[in-house]
Amino acid sequence: QVQLVESGGGLVQAGGSLRLSCAVSGSIFSINYMGWYRQAPGKQRELVATITSGGSTNYADSVKGRFTISRDNAKNTVYLQMSSLKYEDTAVYYCYATIVTSPGYSSQGYWGQGTQVTVSS
């Protein structure tokens, strides 16, 4: 059974930095697309950053230049380095990945449980 577990969230001051990690475990043949999403209170979940298996990245305009997504394929882990944090970054951050669990199987999407990031102003 595939699981995604986020870690690294917490309370930080505006202007500070934080690094989120998402470790994928379970029966895994390959991990393709990986991404970070966030959901603030009363808001829709939104895309933050994505990274492909080949390392191509994409960012929401609101975080471009401040956040960096990366992945360690050997560890089945994706990271989100967040710098120059703003109050508006406060949200629950979710890890998402499309995963093939066995050869010949189609990929399926999996979500982590989320980790809270709170930025004080």
Side-chain angles (χ1 to χ4, degrees):
Q1 187 174 9
V2 174
Q3 289 187 319
L4 280 65
V5 180
E6 301 100 330
S7 61
L11 174 65
V12 298
Q13 293 182 337
S17 299
L18 208 60
R19 189 175 81 151
L20 306 182
S21 299
C22 174
V24 181
S25 63
S27 180
I28 302 167
F29 178 70
S30 66
I31 302 174
N32 299 320
Y33 167 97
M34 301 186 81
W36 287 96
Y37 296 74
R38 67 186 182 186
Q39 188 167 20
K43 305 292 185 180
Q44 281 274 71
R45 188 172 299 184
E46 65 176 355
L47 172 72
V48 177
T50 64
I51 186 166
T52 68
S53 59
S56 297
T57 59
N58 190 43
Y59 299 91
D61 288 340
S62 60
V63 307
K64 197 170 297 182
R66 300 187 298 118
F67 290 11
T68 301
I69 188 171
S70 61
R71 62 191 287 173
D72 186 335
N73 292 329
K75 295 182 178 180
N76 293 329
T77 301
V78 63
Y79 306 93
L80 185 68
Q81 178 65 51
M82 305 183 293
S83 300
S84 301
L85 283 162
K86 305 174 180 179
Y87 174 76
E88 301 85 75
D89 296 319
T90 297
V92 176
Y93 284 70
Y94 296 91
C95 178
Y96 178 82
T98 57
I99 300 168
V100 177
T101 57
S102 295
Y105 283 27
S106 60
S107 64
Q108 298 184 72
Y110 296 86
W111 289 96
Q113 81 285 354
T115 185
Q116 177 71 48
V117 172
T118 303
V119 183
S120 61
S121 60

